[in-house]
């Protein structure tokens, strides 16, 4: 996924440097302006012939540069591990899983649930069965397995910096009963000790805060050509924002959340206290 976005970003840079419109670029590969837009955002696969034609249109004649970009196109079309879960993973979320796995920094605010990367297996099972009441047992198990597979990211050697702010509501909303919630709260306290994980709780007592629009996630990537992305999940789809001014607004909101929420140490104290009250 990240290679697809990187290639799209480079194609956009080349097009703009040559003063070529999206409409003209689309015409050169027998496609629409909207397809060029999707290609430049990394949201569609790339055909080698299309990339070759665009490079020619953009005046890229150097053999080494052409081959590097064509090689990136080939790599971009290789399916990620998550594609094997296509039976339970909607297409709009496949994009997020790919971005999540490629990110060097993930910052998130959650209000309804404990963040998916921090959920225990029992909590995941309770969330999935509550949210998908018509799902078969095998479908539930596949969804649980998918989320647990995603969680390996945090403990991998090249795991991202993960900073999450959990609204206190997410800690009080019971999923799976008291035993499950106690286990979940203990897990949060333990994993927050990891060097790449920062966890803060936004307490009820603070009142209104910067995340007035609800949950969101900010993703940053190690490649300098890639813009930061804001992920906003909806019931049947998601929004991916990468325009600089829009991303900047969410970054300001996230910084305010970090400032106004309980400190990591205070948050661990809250979690420890809640374990004994659940």
């Amino acid at each position: 996924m990240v290679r697809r976005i990187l290639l799209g970003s480079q194609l956009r840079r080349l097009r703009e440097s040559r003063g070529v419109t999206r409409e003209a670029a689309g015409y050169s590969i027998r496609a629409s302006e909207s397809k060029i837009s999707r290609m430049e955002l990394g949201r569609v696969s790339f055909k080698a012939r299309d990339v070759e034609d665009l490079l020619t249109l953009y005046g890229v004649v150097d053999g080494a540069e052409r081959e590097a970009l064509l090689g990136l196109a080939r790599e971009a079309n290789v399916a990620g591990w998550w594609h094997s879960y296509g039976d339970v993973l909607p297409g709009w979320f496949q994009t997020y899983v790919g971005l999540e796995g490629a990110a060097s920094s993930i910052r998130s605010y959650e209000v309804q649930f404990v963040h998916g990367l921090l959920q225990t297996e029992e909590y995941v099972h309770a969330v999935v069965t509550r949210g998908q009441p018509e799902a078969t047992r095998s479908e539930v198990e596949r969804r649980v397995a998918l989320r647990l597979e995603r969680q390996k990211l945090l403990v991998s050697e090249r795991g991202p910096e993960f900073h999450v702010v959990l609204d206190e509501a997410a800690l009080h909303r019971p999923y799976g009963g008291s035993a499950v919630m106690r286990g979940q709260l203990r897990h949060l306290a333990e994993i927050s000790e990891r060097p790449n994980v920062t966890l803060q709780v936004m307490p009820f007592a603070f009142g209104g805060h910067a995340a007035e629009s609800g949950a969101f996630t900010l993703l940053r990537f190690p490649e300098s050509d890639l813009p930061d992305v804001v992920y906003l999940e909806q019931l049947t789809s998601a929004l991916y924002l990468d325009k600089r001014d829009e991303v900047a607004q969410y970054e300001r909101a996230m910084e305010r959340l970090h400032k106004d929420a309980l400190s990591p140490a205070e948050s661990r104290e809250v979690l420890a206290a809640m374990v004994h009250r659940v």
Side-chain angles (χ1 to χ4, degrees), residues 9 32 71 94 136 166 181 198 221 223 236 246 249 256:
S9 177
S32 65
Q94 289 184 26
T136 65
L166 294 179
M181 288 304 298
T198 302
F221 307 94
E223 293 81 3
T236 58
E246 293 179 325
Q249 290 188 53
R256 288 168 58 194

Side-chain angles (χ1 to χ4, degrees), residues 9-272:
S9 177
Q10 293 185 356
L11 289 175
R12 179 173 59 184
R13 175 177 53 80
L14 288 168
R15 178 182 60 76
E16 291 175 345
S17 71
R18 288 287 176 166
V20 178
T21 65
R22 287 195 180 96
E23 182 180 8
Y27 181 80
S28 75
I29 63 169
R30 304 152 297 281
S32 65
E33 178 182 352
S34 63
K35 181 176 179 180
I36 294 296
S37 178
R38 293 195 299 274
M39 289 175 68
E40 292 181 349
L41 291 171
R43 295 178 184 171
V44 293
S45 58
F46 293 90
K47 294 180 180 179
R49 177 184 173 185
D50 289 345
V51 176
E52 288 177 350
D53 289 348
L54 288 173
L55 292 179
T56 299
L57 177 66
Y58 302 155
V60 180
V61 296
D62 180 76
E65 185 178 2
R66 287 179 69 95
E67 181 52 36
L69 290 168
L70 289 169
L72 190 58
R74 289 190 291 271
E75 294 175 2
N77 290 330
V78 176
W81 64 263
W82 55 90
H83 285 83
S84 63
Y85 289 92
D87 55 325
V88 294
L89 184 62
W92 53 266
F93 194 62
Q94 289 184 26
T95 300
Y96 176 76
V97 176
L99 293 174
E100 180 182 71
S104 58
S105 169
I106 302 173
R107 291 178 290 167
S108 187
Y109 168 71
E110 287 287 348
V111 62
Q112 173 80 1
F113 314 100
V114 168
H115 193 283
L117 293 181
L118 302 179
Q119 296 175 1
T120 65
E121 182 173 355
E122 294 78 13
Y123 186 96
V124 175
H125 196 279
V127 168
V128 171
T129 53
R130 180 75 60 84
Q132 304 286 333
E134 304 301 322
T136 65
R137 178 178 296 181
S138 63
E139 289 173 338
V140 169
E141 295 306 319
R142 289 278 290 162
R143 292 176 186 276
V144 172
L146 168 62
R147 193 159 305 176
L148 296 179
E149 188 68 27
R150 283 175 53 207
Q151 292 179 2
K152 293 179 181 179
L153 177 68
L154 283 187
V155 297
S156 67
E157 185 176 341
R158 299 176 64 183
E161 292 296 321
F162 182 57
H163 193 155
V164 61
V165 178
L166 294 179
D167 197 282
E168 188 176 349
L171 304 178
H172 285 281
R173 184 168 289 107
Y175 280 96
S178 297
V180 171
M181 288 304 298
R182 279 195 296 271
Q184 179 62 73
L185 293 167
R186 290 194 186 98
H187 178 66
L188 289 175
E190 292 169 3
I191 201 167
S192 69
E193 298 280 2
R194 289 191 58 83
N196 64 320
V197 176
T198 302
L199 186 153
Q200 293 181 263
V201 173
M202 175 55 72
F204 288 140
F206 187 82
H209 53 71
E212 58 188 29
S213 60
F216 66 97
T217 296
L218 275 163
L219 300 157
R220 177 165 292 172
F221 307 94
E223 293 81 3
S224 59
D225 285 347
L226 293 183
D228 292 355
V229 173
V230 176
Y231 172 72
L232 303 171
E233 187 170 316
Q234 300 172 339
L235 187 61
T236 58
S237 62
L239 293 176
Y240 296 87
L241 309 178
D242 65 354
K243 292 182 179 179
R244 185 172 299 178
D245 58 339
E246 293 179 325
V247 172
Q249 290 188 53
Y250 281 92
E251 287 180 333
R252 289 192 291 270
M254 185 63 76
E255 291 301 323
R256 288 168 58 194
L257 285 172
H258 292 171
K259 179 181 177 181
D260 295 335
L262 299 178
S263 70
E266 292 170 331
S267 298
R268 280 191 288 272
E269 291 176 0
V270 167
L271 292 170

